[in-house]
Amino acid sequence: MRFATRVNNCADGELLLLSRDGVRGMPMGARWPTLLHAITQWDALMDDAAALSVTLEAGGGDTIDYGGLLAPLPRTWQWLDGSAFANHGALMQKAFNHPPIETDLPLMYQGMSHQFLASHENVALPTEADLIDFEGEFAIVTDDVPMGCSAVDAMDHIRLILLINDWSLRAVAPAEMKTGFGWIQAKPACSAAPIAITPDELGDRWRNGRVCLPLRVAVNGAWFGHPSGEGMDYGFHDLIAHAARTRQLCAGTIIGSGTVSDPDFERVGSTCISERRAIEMITQGKPVTPFLQFGDHVRMTAGTDVSLFGEISQIVTAFRADFDRYESARVSKSVIL
């Protein structure tokens, strides 16, 4: 099944079921107003969706206006982002001469979950000086996961798969990391492709808790990379088990793979600027690729079938509001905000 969320007068939008080709859609109805509500009653949702899909595949429903779609989950209870591609970490450690992280456990942090940007929404950020970067990821959505769930059992709790752009501000991250308290300012809202799919939609491209598709990134129309999600050193079931060791995961929890990365980077490229710059430092002695500027365009898709997840296609823009006042106060300490 393929689901999307349409703009309405509710912050969580209106839940739609899409046709297999992603062209048409129908509301799931009053019983299932939003995906955040529906994920809590998965089996009943799927029964109703199966009945509705018969009408859709027979040509029913309306043509989807992708410009009117929100993120599948515009907000949710929990966003946990992993770092499941060891190659990405190894490149960063080598480039910056960081000591290896001594652990055999998955890396993960808890990020901002109350807002996921729509796939065609401009990404407004305060300043280019923060060094704006993107990170292409796959992610999964769980139903209720009990504390202590094993990796084997976790496979049965993966309900939906997403394509995510995890925006990052590289100039801010190091200072926040040194505090030991994690990221706040360095991690603004993520973006999500408009379609959430059930794992069976991938067929044999869903293997061992991994999305075996290339994640394709272009910046200002130029190819940037297409490494595959197949290279995760920990599958999504492993990430779920790690997260659930000491807590229950509520239905609607999103878990990200971390930056999709491949050791064959000379051929397949990267899905974030920071990794490409690390490669340039290793191979050329200095970074060359600039971070994003206002007006830059980032596009992400998965595989060659755009109807699977749709596309993330966004322009980075300047957010001003009271930011100038905030910066002045932060520097001078003369104003209480």
Side-chain angles (χ1 to χ4, degrees), residues 120-175:
H120 289 77
E121 183 176 353
N122 285 348
V123 181
L125 295 168
T127 172
E128 295 168 344
D130 284 342
L131 305 183
I132 304 165
D133 199 356
F134 52 83
E135 294 186 49
E137 305 190 18
F138 292 108
I140 55 93
V141 184
T142 74
D143 61 9
D144 287 309
V145 180
M147 184 190 303
C149 180
S150 70
V152 172
D153 291 340
M155 290 294 290
D156 293 331
H157 293 283
I158 298 172
R159 297 310 190 189
L160 294 167
I161 304 172
L162 306 174
L163 173 62
I164 296 283
N165 184 353
D166 175 29
W167 294 97
S168 297
L169 303 177
R170 300 301 186 185
V172 182

